[in-house]
Amino acid sequence: MPEGSIVLASASRSRAILLKKAGINVDICPANIDEKAIKDTCRRDHVDVATTSALLARRKAEKISRQSVEAFVIGADQMLDCGGDWLDKPTDMNAAAETLRLLRGTVHELVTSVGIVQAGEEIWNYTDRAQLVMREFSDSFLHDYLERVGEDALSSVGAYQLEGLGIQLFERIEGDYFTILGLPLLPVLEFLRAKGVVDL
């Protein structure tokens, strides 16, 4: 890849859309790392959620940086912390329903980290948090919601997308919108402009 190119080390459709709509010419190259093993190790070693999220973001970027040495490789990760429980993406619709039953009527945090790696070295990182209060809703609403969103519920850690029907699940949200979508976009753009990679 040419020097100064930007690579997103993520399979996240929403992250790619955010960057492309912001006018960033980005190549998509998902990094397949063993996230579960890293999380399990961090939990065993009592590593906090923000540090774990940052580690996962860095590991993703480092892996792709070995293939694209000159590129600015963006790795990102988002974790959901609900009272000390770290939730993962639901594996099926039953798991999505279970996730939403756990979250309804409670406060949870989305912790989103981004790391940028060039030539195998992390040159920048950023972590942000958003706090979300999910409203109380009936089982019939939950069933209707999952019927309407279908397998899109499996693509995010909390089984919702705020940019869609998922906004109906919430009572209050505090935090940056882009952080909630999975990429703290404004700090990323500021860094890329400072590096002269983005000139908008």
Side-chain angles (χ1 to χ4, degrees), residues 96-161:
E98 184 179 343
T99 292
L100 291 170
R101 289 191 192 99
L102 176 67
L103 294 177
R104 70 179 168 187
T106 68
V107 180
H108 67 271
E109 271 196 331
L110 288 176
V111 180
T112 304
S113 296
V114 57
I116 297 182
V117 172
Q118 188 177 42
E121 295 292 329
E122 187 176 64
I123 58 175
W124 182 81
N125 64 75
Y126 182 86
T127 296
D128 194 25
R129 296 172 180 263
Q131 191 175 79
L132 298 90
V133 182
M134 193 171 282
R135 68 181 182 88
E136 290 281 3
F137 46 78
S138 66
D139 284 341
S140 61
F141 175 88
L142 171 58
H143 180 267
D144 182 60
Y145 166 76
L146 289 175
E147 281 283 313
R148 292 174 69 181
V149 301
E151 292 197 352
D152 281 349
L154 310 183
S155 65
S156 63
V157 67
Y160 59 80
Q161 290 85 35

Side-chain angles (χ1 to χ4, degrees), residues 170-197:
F170 290 93
E171 176 182 318
R172 190 172 73 255
I173 295 170
E174 297 177 5
D176 179 71
Y177 180 69
F178 299 114
T179 290
I180 295 168
L181 295 190
L183 187 70
L185 187 59
L186 295 177
V188 170
L189 294 176
E190 182 180 8
F191 174 81
L192 293 175
R193 283 194 296 267
K195 284 290 183 181
V197 185

Side-chain angles (χ1 to χ4, degrees), residues 1 9 56 95 104 165 185:
M1 289 188 178
L56 287 163
R104 70 179 168 187
L165 193 62
L185 187 59

Side-chain angles (χ1 to χ4, degrees), residues 32-57:
N32 297 312
I33 64 171
D34 192 342
E35 294 188 38
K36 182 180 184 304
I38 294 171
K39 289 179 183 179
D40 288 347
T41 299
C42 288
R43 289 306 297 258
R44 186 195 65 213
D45 295 341
H46 307 289
V47 177
D48 64 71
V49 64
T51 304
T52 302
S53 176
L55 174 62
L56 287 163

